[in-house]
Amino acid sequence: MDLFSTNYLAGVVKDLRTTPQHFLDTEFRTELRDPSEEIHFDLDERKPRLTPYVSPLIAGKVVEDRGFVTKTFKPPYLKDKRRFDASRPLKRAIGERIGGELSPDQRLQLMVGMTLEDQVEMLKYRMEVQAAEALRLGQVTVSGEGFKTAVVSFGRHTDLRAVKTGTARWSQTESDPLSQIETMANAMMAQGGAVLRRVTFAPDAYQAFRTRLLARDEWKLLVDYRRASTSSTFDLAPGNGEKARYLGTIGTVDYYVYDDLYIDPVDATEKHLMPSGEVVLTADEVEGTRCFAAIRDEDAGFQAVPYFPKSWKEPDPAVRWMLMQSAALMVPFRPNASASMEVLNGGS
């Protein structure tokens, strides 16, 4: 068995169980593959119209058919290249009994699986960062080695991003977070005809939200009233270490707090997927889609697949390489079905 054949590597990747990601799993469940270098899709941007009044004695009024807007995005190209040392299979693997209990071939097979798992995990984090940025800002910024920084804008309306200042900041006792969320929900309806379904807080934004609710004696009645249920629950306890925690429901809106970290390869610093003070609002109509363009590699047949693993050897010095490639972009097909607020750091 060739552990480094394309088919074997692809089979291992297919069987891997990857870590759940909050925005990918809630807002970006659909997948689209385009065999070109670009992603193309038609967007129906119609707004509600009324049938015109016309006298029964005259001819009907001509109504123009609704049109479609075709949008095109070019996904950024992603590569993860790893060097395999020829001596690695001769050393005890992680978790193996001291003295060794695996053969070199078994160790090699184990390391291939671990490397592929790590490569896929890194790619999923990149996709989650894209998804979070697209929902927060209505755009994705792409920067890396070999090209200028570029911004992929999805054309979200400017009314759907708000930075709270002064007494509107949630750290201020005068602020009313629920009213601000309702105002932004109305803006989503006005701009995209979308109904708010989920609110996701950065940890410090949730702490401020929690403080404001607890300061109001009527918060419990408010939750029960909006759910129209006497068994309503809303978890106002401090965080328990979960990356994404479901808090409860107010009305028909589900609330989450999300705290996950990643290492940015550009400056090697640790960053939060949800930056300080951020709140993201989303609707089912956002139609978040995982878009994949063609892999620019003859060995991949130039197919559009989520990722393509490959491996090759160099004879002198003896070394093996493993490469994971992808052309991925997380696209909210209806960007006006999402919105965001920065509720803590907007200044005095």
Side-chain angles (χ1 to χ4, degrees), residues 221-336:
L221 292 174
L222 176 67
V223 174
D224 287 341
Y225 172 75
R226 293 196 176 192
R227 275 185 61 92
S229 167
T230 58
S231 61
S232 172
T233 59
F234 196 89
D235 182 6
L236 287 173
N240 58 6
E242 292 180 83
K243 291 181 179 179
R245 181 160 64 100
Y246 169 68
L247 299 169
T249 301
I250 299 178
T252 58
V253 181
D254 294 332
Y255 287 76
Y256 298 84
V257 59
Y258 187 25
D259 187 18
D260 204 355
L261 300 168
Y262 67 96
I263 303 297
D264 191 332
V266 175
D267 55 16
T269 60
E270 189 175 63
K271 296 181 179 179
H272 289 265
L273 268 158
M274 286 283 288
S276 172
E278 289 289 330
V279 180
V280 170
L281 300 85
T282 50
D284 293 336
E285 295 89 345
V286 72
E287 294 185 24
T289 304
R290 308 178 189 191
C291 295
F292 302 101
I295 301 295
R296 286 170 250 172
D297 190 319
E298 186 177 350
D299 292 339
F302 304 102
Q303 298 181 72
V305 291
Y307 29 68
F308 177 70
K310 65 183 292 187
S311 179
W312 68 94
K313 291 193 299 183
E314 292 180 1
D316 188 16
V319 64
R320 177 173 286 279
W321 297 97
M322 289 183 65
L323 176 66
M324 181 75 73
Q325 300 177 82
S326 181
L329 183 64
M330 304 303 102
V331 179
F333 277 12
R334 294 188 180 277
N336 289 340

Side-chain angles (χ1 to χ4, degrees), residues 22 31 47 118 128 143 196 220 278 295 305 335 339:
H22 177 62
E31 184 178 298
K47 290 191 175 181
D118 191 46
E128 177 74 354
S143 61
L196 176 63
K220 207 171 211 179
E278 289 289 330
I295 301 295
V305 291

Side-chain angles (χ1 to χ4, degrees), residues 35 45 70 74 98 123 126 129 131 137 198 222 266 269 312 317:
E45 294 187 329
T70 299
K74 187 172 183 178
I98 294 177
L123 178 60
R126 171 61 73 186
V129 169
L137 305 176
R198 284 168 295 280
L222 176 67
V266 175
T269 60
W312 68 94

Side-chain angles (χ1 to χ4, degrees), residues 34-40 72-76 292-296 327:
D34 196 310
S36 69
E37 291 186 5
E38 299 176 325
I39 300 295
H40 310 272
T72 301
F73 298 106
K74 187 172 183 178
F292 302 101
I295 301 295
R296 286 170 250 172

